[in-house]
Amino acid sequence: MKKIAIMTAGGDCAGLNAAIKSVVMAATKRNIVVVGIIDGFIGFVERKYIVLDTKAVENIERQGGTILGSSNKECPFHYPSKEKENVFEDRVKDSIEALKKIGVEGMIVIGGDGTLDSARVIDEAGMPTIGIPKTIDNDMVASNPTIGFDTGVENAVEAIRKLKTTAASHRRVMVVEMMGRTSGYLTLYSGFAAGADIILLPEREYDLNVVCNKVKEIMNTDKRYVIIAVSEACKQIGKEETISKVIKNSFEQKRFGGIAAKLSAQIEEITGYESRPMVLGHLQRGGDPCASDIILGARLGDYALKLISSGEHGYIVGVKQNELQKIEFPKERIPRILDLEKDDIYMTAMDMGISFGI
Ligand code: F6P
């Protein structure tokens, strides 16, 4: 193998650059040229490529985001036509041909579920491909953790700690909304590590009365403030999720948002205590990676390169109990579920008296 391509697609996170760097370094050692595809599937379809040498990846492992750029709505087999509005085309075959024409013999695709489903389609269409999972949501079966999760937790913990001092000064309730879509990993782990009093997860519908009673109970102690960590896709019992927008043609069309504002207003009205909403949003995805994400990104990048350069393809690489593993591209999305009764952190939090609103 003389040339491969690499791309990042889907929502960005910290640790992507470490994976890109290890692919480039390990490929260069084997005299394999690495072509970087710009802006995810936009660059794949529109032939936006750059060559990545060791100079181009120097020190990038320390930077957040992705030096290649990303997009989380374009899909190569349902790509908007340039000529006709609302018409979508399958651009997989011609895009593979364009890469083959410049000598590319294999691809490494770094992304979440939607991206890796497209990677499977590309592999089946004749371009040998390996997928690397990443997402702050940590909800992929292929890897536990996924690239970006640990940094997402660190970012949220730092933010909640800051909110605590202002909440304490003003004797307020702070309702902190976190990303993670329908998976509660990010909220559970960061809420727990930051010492939240109440943690509300998408895996458990909450009872508003239980939440308000807990707020009153804490406010009647010397503590003076309450921190509530709420997952963006959380639901009150009998109510729907709070959607901020719908992005047509995106793999995951719903964008959640607004639960903190809603819950904060309800708490203020019911308990009489002053309450403020705070949406952490993309702050959780941004910034430089923590060491564990750099290490994970580098390990998975190197493993992906080893597989593709030895002729293996059709796999997603990941870690399970810290061991590298490869699984075949799944035919359908199988999200990794946060099984609360089996989750040691959830059980510990329950034991410590943290409320889950139930
Ligand atoms: O899946 C990663 C993620 O960051 C989710 O946690 C969040 O709901 C979503 O992406 C946000 O997407 P966007 O970047 O399109 O706002």
Side-chain angles (χ1 to χ4, degrees), residues 248-274:
K248 278 197 198 153
N249 305 314
S250 175
F251 179 74
E252 305 269 18
Q253 303 201 346
K254 285 186 213 163
R255 291 296 182 275
F256 299 104
I259 183 76
K262 201 197 271 177
L263 183 58
S264 171
Q266 288 168 324
I267 289 171
E268 197 166 282
E269 199 189 310
I270 296 169
T271 67
Y273 288 109
E274 216 184 357

Tab-separated table of all heavy atoms in Angstrom, residues 248-274:
chain	number	residue	atom	x	y	z
A	248	LYS	N	-32.629	18.948	8.900
A	248	LYS	CA	-33.011	17.970	7.875
A	248	LYS	C	-31.771	17.348	7.257
A	248	LYS	O	-30.755	18.015	7.082
A	248	LYS	CB	-33.816	18.661	6.783
A	248	LYS	CG	-35.263	18.821	7.133
A	248	LYS	CD	-36.029	19.115	5.860
A	248	LYS	CE	-37.381	19.725	6.188
A	248	LYS	NZ	-37.852	20.566	5.114
A	249	ASN	N	-31.848	16.081	6.899
A	249	ASN	CA	-30.780	15.330	6.217
A	249	ASN	C	-29.586	15.003	7.117
A	249	ASN	O	-28.663	14.336	6.696
A	249	ASN	CB	-30.248	16.056	4.972
A	249	ASN	CG	-31.384	16.380	4.044
A	249	ASN	OD1	-32.219	15.523	3.799
A	249	ASN	ND2	-31.433	17.598	3.565
A	250	SER	N	-29.597	15.491	8.328
A	250	SER	CA	-28.525	15.143	9.253
A	250	SER	C	-28.800	13.712	9.730
A	250	SER	O	-29.955	13.288	9.805
A	250	SER	CB	-28.565	16.121	10.418
A	250	SER	OG	-27.648	15.773	11.393
A	251	PHE	N	-27.734	12.956	10.082
A	251	PHE	CA	-27.942	11.580	10.552
A	251	PHE	C	-28.830	11.580	11.793
A	251	PHE	O	-29.788	10.831	11.900
A	251	PHE	CB	-26.580	10.932	10.849
A	251	PHE	CG	-26.683	9.530	11.363
A	251	PHE	CD1	-27.008	8.482	10.513
A	251	PHE	CD2	-26.457	9.250	12.701
A	251	PHE	CE1	-27.111	7.182	10.994
A	251	PHE	CE2	-26.555	7.954	13.184
A	251	PHE	CZ	-26.881	6.921	12.325
A	252	GLU	N	-28.487	12.418	12.767
A	252	GLU	CA	-29.322	12.611	13.956
A	252	GLU	C	-30.001	13.954	13.756
A	252	GLU	O	-29.374	14.986	13.919
A	252	GLU	CB	-28.459	12.672	15.227
A	252	GLU	CG	-27.547	11.492	15.440
A	252	GLU	CD	-28.199	10.397	16.253
A	252	GLU	OE1	-29.449	10.393	16.354
A	252	GLU	OE2	-27.466	9.549	16.775
A	253	GLN	N	-31.278	13.957	13.395
A	253	GLN	CA	-31.899	15.228	12.993
A	253	GLN	C	-32.243	16.160	14.146
A	253	GLN	O	-32.191	17.364	14.003
A	253	GLN	CB	-33.131	14.936	12.155
A	253	GLN	CG	-32.791	14.084	10.955
A	253	GLN	CD	-33.804	14.177	9.851
A	253	GLN	OE1	-34.904	14.664	10.033
A	253	GLN	NE2	-33.437	13.695	8.690
A	254	LYS	N	-32.600	15.568	15.288
A	254	LYS	CA	-33.004	16.409	16.422
A	254	LYS	C	-31.792	17.006	17.115
A	254	LYS	O	-30.823	16.305	17.392
A	254	LYS	CB	-33.727	15.555	17.469
A	254	LYS	CG	-35.111	15.150	17.135
A	254	LYS	CD	-35.692	14.449	18.367
A	254	LYS	CE	-36.659	13.372	17.976
A	254	LYS	NZ	-36.937	12.431	19.058
A	255	ARG	N	-31.861	18.303	17.419
A	255	ARG	CA	-30.877	18.914	18.306
A	255	ARG	C	-31.627	19.278	19.582
A	255	ARG	O	-32.632	19.977	19.537
A	255	ARG	CB	-30.261	20.172	17.687
A	255	ARG	CG	-29.365	19.908	16.483
A	255	ARG	CD	-28.120	19.101	16.829
A	255	ARG	NE	-27.254	18.905	15.680
A	255	ARG	CZ	-27.383	17.932	14.773
A	255	ARG	NH1	-28.369	17.059	14.888
A	255	ARG	NH2	-26.541	17.829	13.768
A	256	PHE	N	-31.160	18.743	20.696
A	256	PHE	CA	-31.838	19.003	21.962
A	256	PHE	C	-31.388	20.338	22.535
A	256	PHE	O	-30.315	20.828	22.220
A	256	PHE	CB	-31.528	17.880	22.955
A	256	PHE	CG	-31.986	16.539	22.473
A	256	PHE	CD1	-31.072	15.615	21.976
A	256	PHE	CD2	-33.334	16.208	22.485
A	256	PHE	CE1	-31.498	14.383	21.504
A	256	PHE	CE2	-33.763	14.969	22.009
A	256	PHE	CZ	-32.841	14.061	21.517
A	257	GLY	N	-32.193	20.897	23.410
A	257	GLY	CA	-31.793	22.152	24.056
A	257	GLY	C	-32.981	22.847	24.670
A	257	GLY	O	-34.084	22.817	24.113
A	258	GLY	N	-32.777	23.431	25.829
A	258	GLY	CA	-33.840	24.221	26.459
A	258	GLY	C	-34.345	23.646	27.774
A	258	GLY	O	-35.107	24.308	28.493
A	259	ILE	N	-33.931	22.424	28.106
A	259	ILE	CA	-34.442	21.792	29.334
A	259	ILE	C	-34.035	22.583	30.581
A	259	ILE	O	-34.825	22.711	31.517
A	259	ILE	CB	-33.993	20.299	29.420
A	259	ILE	CG1	-34.577	19.604	30.663
A	259	ILE	CG2	-32.491	20.139	29.427
A	259	ILE	CD1	-36.000	19.246	30.552
A	260	ALA	N	-32.816	23.138	30.599
A	260	ALA	CA	-32.355	23.853	31.803
A	260	ALA	C	-33.218	25.092	32.055
A	260	ALA	O	-33.615	25.362	33.191
A	260	ALA	CB	-30.891	24.251	31.662
A	261	ALA	N	-33.520	25.832	30.997
A	261	ALA	CA	-34.328	27.051	31.150
A	261	ALA	C	-35.713	26.700	31.675
A	261	ALA	O	-36.253	27.346	32.584
A	261	ALA	CB	-34.425	27.779	29.816
A	262	LYS	N	-36.277	25.620	31.102
A	262	LYS	CA	-37.624	25.203	31.499
A	262	LYS	C	-37.640	24.770	32.966
A	262	LYS	O	-38.436	25.233	33.769
A	262	LYS	CB	-38.035	24.025	30.596
A	262	LYS	CG	-39.538	23.808	30.528
A	262	LYS	CD	-39.862	22.444	29.998
A	262	LYS	CE	-39.982	22.387	28.513
A	262	LYS	NZ	-40.228	21.030	28.008
A	263	LEU	N	-36.708	23.898	33.314
A	263	LEU	CA	-36.660	23.346	34.669
A	263	LEU	C	-36.333	24.426	35.696
A	263	LEU	O	-36.920	24.465	36.785
A	263	LEU	CB	-35.611	22.215	34.704
A	263	LEU	CG	-35.453	21.461	36.005
A	263	LEU	CD1	-36.766	20.814	36.446
A	263	LEU	CD2	-34.373	20.379	35.866
A	264	SER	N	-35.431	25.316	35.338
A	264	SER	CA	-35.038	26.384	36.257
A	264	SER	C	-36.254	27.266	36.599
A	264	SER	O	-36.486	27.599	37.770
A	264	SER	CB	-33.926	27.197	35.596
A	264	SER	OG	-33.651	28.326	36.322
A	265	ALA	N	-37.036	27.610	35.585
A	265	ALA	CA	-38.227	28.446	35.816
A	265	ALA	C	-39.237	27.703	36.697
A	265	ALA	O	-39.843	28.294	37.605
A	265	ALA	CB	-38.856	28.824	34.478
A	266	GLN	N	-39.410	26.396	36.442
A	266	GLN	CA	-40.363	25.612	37.241
A	266	GLN	C	-39.914	25.552	38.708
A	266	GLN	O	-40.724	25.712	39.627
A	266	GLN	CB	-40.464	24.178	36.688
A	266	GLN	CG	-41.208	24.106	35.364
A	266	GLN	CD	-41.039	22.734	34.704
A	266	GLN	OE1	-39.984	22.100	34.788
A	266	GLN	NE2	-42.095	22.267	34.036
A	267	ILE	N	-38.618	25.347	38.907
A	267	ILE	CA	-38.098	25.238	40.279
A	267	ILE	C	-38.295	26.557	41.031
A	267	ILE	O	-38.739	26.583	42.178
A	267	ILE	CB	-36.602	24.820	40.254
A	267	ILE	CG1	-36.493	23.362	39.818
A	267	ILE	CG2	-35.943	25.037	41.608
A	267	ILE	CD1	-35.082	22.882	39.545
A	268	GLU	N	-38.005	27.656	40.336
A	268	GLU	CA	-38.163	28.975	40.977
A	268	GLU	C	-39.616	29.205	41.386
A	268	GLU	O	-39.908	29.654	42.484
A	268	GLU	CB	-37.682	30.072	40.018
A	268	GLU	CG	-37.423	31.378	40.710
A	268	GLU	CD	-36.626	32.353	39.847
A	268	GLU	OE1	-35.402	32.200	39.736
A	268	GLU	OE2	-37.264	33.242	39.268
A	269	GLU	N	-40.517	28.824	40.477
A	269	GLU	CA	-41.939	29.039	40.761
A	269	GLU	C	-42.435	28.144	41.903
A	269	GLU	O	-43.133	28.592	42.798
A	269	GLU	CB	-42.738	28.750	39.477
A	269	GLU	CG	-44.126	29.357	39.516
A	269	GLU	CD	-44.956	28.885	38.341
A	269	GLU	OE1	-44.444	28.981	37.212
A	269	GLU	OE2	-46.083	28.406	38.576
A	270	ILE	N	-42.033	26.872	41.865
A	270	ILE	CA	-42.551	25.924	42.860
A	270	ILE	C	-41.884	26.094	44.232
A	270	ILE	O	-42.549	26.037	45.262
A	270	ILE	CB	-42.407	24.470	42.347
A	270	ILE	CG1	-43.278	24.273	41.094
A	270	ILE	CG2	-42.787	23.449	43.414
A	270	ILE	CD1	-43.030	22.982	40.333
A	271	THR	N	-40.572	26.326	44.250
A	271	THR	CA	-39.875	26.358	45.555
A	271	THR	C	-39.706	27.774	46.101
A	271	THR	O	-39.488	27.955	47.289
A	271	THR	CB	-38.460	25.749	45.446
A	271	THR	OG1	-37.647	26.608	44.623
A	271	THR	CG2	-38.482	24.354	44.857
A	272	GLY	N	-39.761	28.753	45.216
A	272	GLY	CA	-39.535	30.132	45.653
A	272	GLY	C	-38.052	30.496	45.726
A	272	GLY	O	-37.699	31.640	45.979
A	273	TYR	N	-37.179	29.530	45.473
A	273	TYR	CA	-35.742	29.835	45.488
A	273	TYR	C	-35.291	30.333	44.110
A	273	TYR	O	-35.730	29.806	43.081
A	273	TYR	CB	-34.919	28.590	45.870
A	273	TYR	CG	-35.070	28.238	47.321
A	273	TYR	CD1	-35.788	27.104	47.702
A	273	TYR	CD2	-34.521	29.050	48.308
A	273	TYR	CE1	-35.953	26.787	49.052
A	273	TYR	CE2	-34.680	28.738	49.655
A	273	TYR	CZ	-35.398	27.603	50.016
A	273	TYR	OH	-35.553	27.306	51.331
A	274	GLU	N	-34.417	31.310	44.156
A	274	GLU	CA	-33.907	31.867	42.898
A	274	GLU	C	-33.114	30.799	42.147
A	274	GLU	O	-32.280	30.100	42.739
A	274	GLU	CB	-32.995	33.053	43.215
A	274	GLU	CG	-33.122	34.141	42.201
A	274	GLU	CD	-32.159	35.290	42.452
A	274	GLU	OE1	-31.424	35.257	43.450
A	274	GLU	OE2	-32.151	36.192	41.624
